[in-house]
């Protein structure tokens, strides 16, 4: 029996109509060197229609890709609304990528047009000749366009295009499973892989962000996405804000602690999302120079693990950080670490330092060796797999099915799930050590070792073992003059770690090799071990 | 370009798995004559699986309809989860309907089974012989089953069935557009009409209830649906609570003020939904006998207009009532009257006495004569039309397309929309007076007239007019001994009402005819006028 309900699709067009209609007096505020620049949602709606007309006139038809190379600002928001709603696909380019990566991504996505902020022209210009499918460049805001001469693209100015275009656009009826936006993962190995969000997935993700177990967004909120709009849609905050009728505060390129604190004091956001590094800077700034963050009722924080000290530091100034976890492939918000209502004080913090519980609509599980689903007992370790209407099921133009398992996404993260659904991540799948069918967290061993007063750095990697398949190798940097032995460190570990997890192989080195972004380069350690280049001592 | 996101359907199965899994320690509490009866969501999940097995064993296959004739309690919740999740269709029968209506509805829906609360057996038994498609009756809870003898149905006991059934059920993969539940409108004219909610519509409606502009439900809430589960799914509260991981408090048949206050004091709900009459009783009870309602953070109220005095009365005891509006055809919640954050005090009340703004996902408009869409200016009056993924697009087995207009539902309500989207209902469409292309609200004229000190009752209906198509006729009951004239009443109205709306036709009568539920019976007034049976005086 079929239902008799209306078959209305879940689209970004509907979010745009709702947010810029009923909530037309709400606003997007963009921070500038001269303070705030304001635009009502009603104006944003009209300008989105103008932008759609301008893009159509430049030949954007059906599902062509329109790239953006922009900060968080009102114009980027207009592109967020216009491009998907006209049936085209928004492709946010990550301004932090290398030229090679950018060229690869724009080519792979077949971007036809790129909208670029004036301040980012110098960064984009050298790459443009290598973006073969791009025909038009649209410059938003003031710019020195000299670097764009001779790049072989048609040059346009955003405001000129909008001024010349009609303020009415006949938005098409869209299929909710059509692609709305694209994002590429910044894969550390191999080429970046593309994810194509649908209207449906973006819509449901936004709705989820507005629920009480998400951010509880409402028309009473003012939302500050510090997290970039080229980064998994700024955690979905722009669409969620429009859907909730909440105003948006955009930091543009002013991402340092001082202007952020000024923005917060002036515009009084209620919700603000950023990675832990940014919030640590902000906290330090407030401690040193003062600053009123009291407007913030909720600070979603993710991208990397939130240190407990950061949570507690914000608690002290009366601002509540909630850890969130996700990835480009999960739209990105998958879990949020709201503690149960019963938990208070330190008990609550115990929940808040986890990755949290999945949002309604998603399912999560940990899967061990042989694709065995592990129990939710808070102990059994496995790779985290996730499923739901805003989770990626494949990559764009990519046949690699290895990241998917029976319709679930293999996240590449390793951890445990408690009976009440709290996820604790312990490792990346590629760094976990698989020993005799059990998994050993390299990160946990490292953290325990680094708690020893003589240890400056410690990196643990899995190395081949005839009997156990893999065993941990601990590479340790001692402080100058320390004489601690491997035996002593193993005894130190044994106080907290099960006996079977204790490393037999130890290497005392001068420094742990690092990647370009300062993370332990475990590839190098494994290679050095394989080549016999590490001074390994073996305990029995 | 199609998206690469997973194609996971939005189903009640998913709500059930989520709510009874991660939130398995949350509970449903059912009120009894001996106090609360508790059951964890984990148990509810297991019992729903048992119920599905039992229903399958009784022959419920594919999309057959399973009726419920029950109060709000844990067993009704189990049916809410099991029946749709097994692919069948839950049909909640309204225990307040007449036997004729019930028999008509059960036949029309082709109910195969009815689950009945023991306490309701005496009410259902006489109707059962007339429910031709029903083969099985399942009695939940203690009952005197004597009245069920000889009704010609197979009799079963709920607990016996569950005890004998397996606690595991292989829930099927469902299409989200499949019917999940049915509800019949209690049409005042003609036969009741059936609405078939889909899994998708129920899911989205629940998600919407959990957003900040809805009820902002989270796992920290305890939800008390006083509104019956046979009444448009108890405003969707049961599904929304499971989706939010919130506990449910069920009043069963204890709907009087005294037990409700006791339930609230004992179980401390944070959100509780009921019609204005119930809350007025509760407020009166608290004023007379005391009572602690302080656990309530939000009280959604609807079903009929919420009097300002009720809002203010609850404000005085620190409990926030939010008016909501909807109908069976809108799942039912369509609008909620949260005031804008800027509005405070009396200004906020001005917004709170409206029907509110639509929830994200829905579109609303007012449509005047000739199906002309009217401006959202707070003045232009028209019939309210609504569109969205949880709005009915047709009735079950019904060809009447008159209630639908270009894919929108004609609600039968008349009102205005403000520029910021607040809906104010002024009349039912069948009672509005269409005069010379403009609409006159009968309700507004009645309220104005009844504000006159000499007027006890006033009913206004439209009567045919050669020149204006329709004109208002005012039928007035004066207090004993009053000598107020039609001229004087017209002058009194003219202080507040535009001149063209003032009635020319007046009738002074002894009493306004009433329907069985005490509403003005305007059909009778129109007929009496047509037959010349009213003492009409005509002003010039």
């Amino acid at each position: 029996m079929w239902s008799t309900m209306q078959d209305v699709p879940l689209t970004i067009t509907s979010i745009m109509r709702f947010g810029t209609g009923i909530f037309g007096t709400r606003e997007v505020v963009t921070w500038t060197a001269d303070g705030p620049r304001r635009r009502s949602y009603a104006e944003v709606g009209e300008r989105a229609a103008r932008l759609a007309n301008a893009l159509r006139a430049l030949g954007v038809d059906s599902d062509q890709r329109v790239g953006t190379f922009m900060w968080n600002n009102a114009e980027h928001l207009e592109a967020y609304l216009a491009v998907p709603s006209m049936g085209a696909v928004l492709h946010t380019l990550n301004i932090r990528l290398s030229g090679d990566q950018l060229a690869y991504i724009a080519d792979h996505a077949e971007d036809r047009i790129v909208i670029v902020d004036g301040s980012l022209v110098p960064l984009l210009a050298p790459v443009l000749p290598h973006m073969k499918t791009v025909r038009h460049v649209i410059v938003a805001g003031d710019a020195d366009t000299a670097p764009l001469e001779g790049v072989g693209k048609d040059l346009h100015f955003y405001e000129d295009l909008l001024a010349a275009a009609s303020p009415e656009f006949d938005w098409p009826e869209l299929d909710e499973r059509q692609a709305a936006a694209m994002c590429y993962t910044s894969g550390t190995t191999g080429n970046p892989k593309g994810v194509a969000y649908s209207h449906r997935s973006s819509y449901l993700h936004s709705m989820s962000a507005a629920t009480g177990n998400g951010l509880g967004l409402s028309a009473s909120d003012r939302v500050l996405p510090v997290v970039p709009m080229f980064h998994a849609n700024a955690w979905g905050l722009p669409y969620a804000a429009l859907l909730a009728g909440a105003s948006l505060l955009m930091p543009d390129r002013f991402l340092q602690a001082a202007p952020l604190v000024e923005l917060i004091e002036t515009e009084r956001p209620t919700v603000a999302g950023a990675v832990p590094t940014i919030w640590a800077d902000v906290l330090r700034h407030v401690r040193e120079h003062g600053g009123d963050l009291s407007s913030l009722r909720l600070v979603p924080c993710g991208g990397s693990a939130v240190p407990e000290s950061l949570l507690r530091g914000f608690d002290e100034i009366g601002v509540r950080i909630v850890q969130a976890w996700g990835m480009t492939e999960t739209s990105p918000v998958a879990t949020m670490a709201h503690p149960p209502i019963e938990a208070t004080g330190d008990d609550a913090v115990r929940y808040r330092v986890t990755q949290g519980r999945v949002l309604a609509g998603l399912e999560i599980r940990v899967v061990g060796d042989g694709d065995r689903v592990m129990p939710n007992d808070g102990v059994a370790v496995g790779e985290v797999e996730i499923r739901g209407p805003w989770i990626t099921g494949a990559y764009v133009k990519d046949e690699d099915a290895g990241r998917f398992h029976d319709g679930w996404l293999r996240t590449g993260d390793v951890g445990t799930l408690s009976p009440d659904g709290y996820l604790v991540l312990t490792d990346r799948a590629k760094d976990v050590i698989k020993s005799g069918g059990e998994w050993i967290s390299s990160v946990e061993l490292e953290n325990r070792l680094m708690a020893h007063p003589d240890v400056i750095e410690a990196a643990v990697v899995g190395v081949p073992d005839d009997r156990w398949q893999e065993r941990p190798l601990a590479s340790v940097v001692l402080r100058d003059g320390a004489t601690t032995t491997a035996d002593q460190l193993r005894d130190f570990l044994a106080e907290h770690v099960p006996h079977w997890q204790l490393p037999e192989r130890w290497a005392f080195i001068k420094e742990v090799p690092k990647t370009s972004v300062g993370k332990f380069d475990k590839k190098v350690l494994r290679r050095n071990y394989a080549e016999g280049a590490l001074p390994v001592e073996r305990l029995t």
Side-chain angles (χ1 to χ4, degrees), chain A:
Chain A
M1 182 181 186
W2 296 103
S3 90
T4 59
M5 306 312 275
Q6 296 177 11
D7 203 359
V8 174
L10 308 175
T11 61
I12 288 170
T13 325
S14 146
I15 293 178
M16 174 179 68
R17 282 211 181 99
F18 184 73
T20 65
I22 286 182
F23 295 101
T25 59
R26 292 283 178 263
E27 60 180 355
V28 51
V29 179
T30 306
W31 205 250
T32 75
D34 308 318
R37 178 161 73 81
R38 324 186 83 84
R39 188 169 292 160
S40 75
Y41 278 173
E43 290 173 88
V44 167
E46 192 201 294
R47 287 168 56 92
R50 289 179 184 271
L51 176 58
N53 279 312
L55 292 172
R56 189 72 94 217
L58 293 179
V60 173
D61 205 353
S62 72
D63 62 358
Q64 284 177 356
R65 267 68 73 198
V66 175
T68 55
F69 197 81
M70 304 173 87
W71 301 108
N72 293 11
N73 52 38
E75 291 70 29
H76 208 170
L77 181 66
E78 288 157 8
Y80 258 56
L81 299 178
V83 175
S85 299
M86 72 187 289
V89 182
L90 176 81
H91 178 199
T92 51
L93 290 159
N94 182 339
I95 66 168
R96 304 261 158 74
L97 294 184
S98 70
D100 284 356
Q101 285 174 310
L102 282 169
Y104 171 83
I105 286 173
D107 255 26
H108 191 265
E110 301 169 60
D111 293 341
R112 183 185 179 87
I113 290 185
V114 178
I115 310 175
V116 56
D117 273 331
S119 61
L120 292 170
V121 163
L123 209 54
L124 183 68
V127 191
L128 275 171
H130 308 290
M131 292 180 160
K132 293 190 284 291
T133 59
V134 172
R135 293 183 48 190
H136 302 276
V137 174
I138 302 172
V139 177
D142 295 336
D144 170 9
T145 56
L148 291 172
E149 279 162 30
V151 298
K153 313 293 178 191
D154 289 351
L155 177 62
H156 311 270
F157 293 96
Y158 189 87
E159 291 302 330
D160 294 348
L161 290 180
L162 262 58
S166 159
E168 304 276 347
F169 188 84
D170 188 16
W171 303 105
E173 279 277 316
L174 300 172
D175 186 305
E176 68 186 36
R177 286 180 166 79
Q178 207 172 309
M182 291 182 79
C183 223
Y184 279 74
T185 61
S186 43
T188 46
T189 56
N191 280 319
K193 287 170 182 286
V195 167
Y197 304 118
S198 63
H199 283 266
R200 173 183 168 98
S201 71
S202 304
Y203 193 100
L204 293 170
H205 183 262
S206 306
M207 213 162 169
S208 176
T211 62
N213 291 330
L215 306 172
L217 292 184
S218 79
S220 299
D221 280 309
R222 292 171 70 78
V223 178
L224 167 60
V226 182
V227 53
M229 290 168 79
F230 53 75
H231 214 130
N233 294 336
W235 299 351
L237 291 171
Y239 291 136
L242 265 292
L243 178 128
S247 287
L248 275 165
L249 313 176
M250 298 295 203
D252 202 82
R253 61 185 190 276
F254 303 95
L255 301 172
Q256 307 73 34
L260 282 178
V261 170
E262 193 188 347
L263 195 168
I264 292 169
E265 290 188 318
T266 314
E267 294 294 333
R268 304 195 61 74
T270 56
V271 173
V275 294
T277 322
I278 299 251
W279 290 124
D281 287 351
V282 165
L283 184 61
R284 204 174 304 117
H285 183 91
V286 168
R287 281 177 175 159
E288 282 169 20
H289 306 95
D292 175 11
L293 309 185
S294 65
S295 65
L296 292 166
R297 67 169 178 83
L298 195 68
V299 168
C301 189
S304 60
V306 178
E308 185 174 328
S309 57
L310 187 64
L311 282 180
R312 291 190 184 270
F314 269 79
D315 281 353
E316 278 165 26
I317 58 169
V319 174
R320 183 175 189 78
I321 284 189
V322 176
Q323 178 157 208
W325 169 80
M327 51 206 294
T328 302
E329 289 89 336
T330 62
S331 290
V333 185
T335 64
M336 288 202 68
H338 293 287
I341 181 87
E342 300 82 7
T344 53
D346 284 352
D347 191 27
V349 172
R350 215 164 47 78
Y351 286 100
R352 292 172 62 202
V353 295
T354 73
Q355 273 62 43
R357 295 201 259 219
V358 280
L359 295 170
L362 304 182
E363 294 174 90
I364 195 166
R365 64 186 187 186
V366 295
V367 174
D369 277 341
D371 284 343
R372 188 164 41 105
V373 176
M374 310 298 274
N376 286 15
D377 59 6
V379 177
V381 175
E383 180 169 358
V384 178
E385 296 190 351
I386 192 162
R387 181 174 178 267
W390 58 90
I391 307 297
T392 305
Y395 292 103
V396 175
K397 295 192 281 182
D398 186 300
E399 296 300 312
D400 177 12
R403 288 289 298 279
F404 305 97
H405 171 212
D406 285 351
W408 295 65
L409 171 75
R410 297 187 201 265
T411 63
D413 276 322
V414 165
T416 61
L417 278 166
S418 71
D420 52 355
Y422 283 88
L423 171 69
V424 174
L425 293 185
T426 53
D427 227 327
R428 287 293 297 167
K430 62 179 166 44
D431 292 332
V432 83
I433 298 148
K434 298 183 177 178
S435 174
E438 298 290 344
W439 292 17
I440 300 173
S441 165
S442 65
V443 173
E444 196 190 342
L445 292 179
E446 289 162 3
N447 288 343
R448 293 286 177 198
L449 280 170
M450 288 195 276
H452 189 284
D454 287 345
V455 173
I456 292 177
E457 284 181 339
V460 177
V461 298
V463 296
D465 183 274
D466 287 343
R467 181 156 179 211
W468 300 107
Q469 181 186 3
E470 274 190 352
R471 288 297 298 160
L473 156 70
S475 301
V476 177
V477 181
L478 293 180
R479 68 172 173 81
D480 276 352
T483 58
T484 318
T485 65
D487 261 319
Q488 288 170 326
L489 288 177
R490 186 171 62 172
D491 290 348
F492 176 76
L493 275 186
E495 291 170 29
H496 301 286
V497 170
H499 188 260
W500 61 270
Q501 295 194 2
L502 298 175
E504 298 81 20
R505 297 168 180 85
W506 294 79
F508 290 92
I509 56 179
K510 288 248 182 311
E511 194 189 359
V512 174
K514 310 271 188 345
T515 67
S516 60
V517 295
K519 292 189 179 178
F520 288 173
D521 196 336
K522 298 193 174 180
K523 264 200 321 287
V524 172
L525 282 173
R526 286 193 203 95
R527 195 177 56 221
N528 288 352
Y529 175 80
E531 293 170 354
L534 279 183
V536 175
E537 179 179 342
R538 181 154 183 164
L539 305 180
T540 49

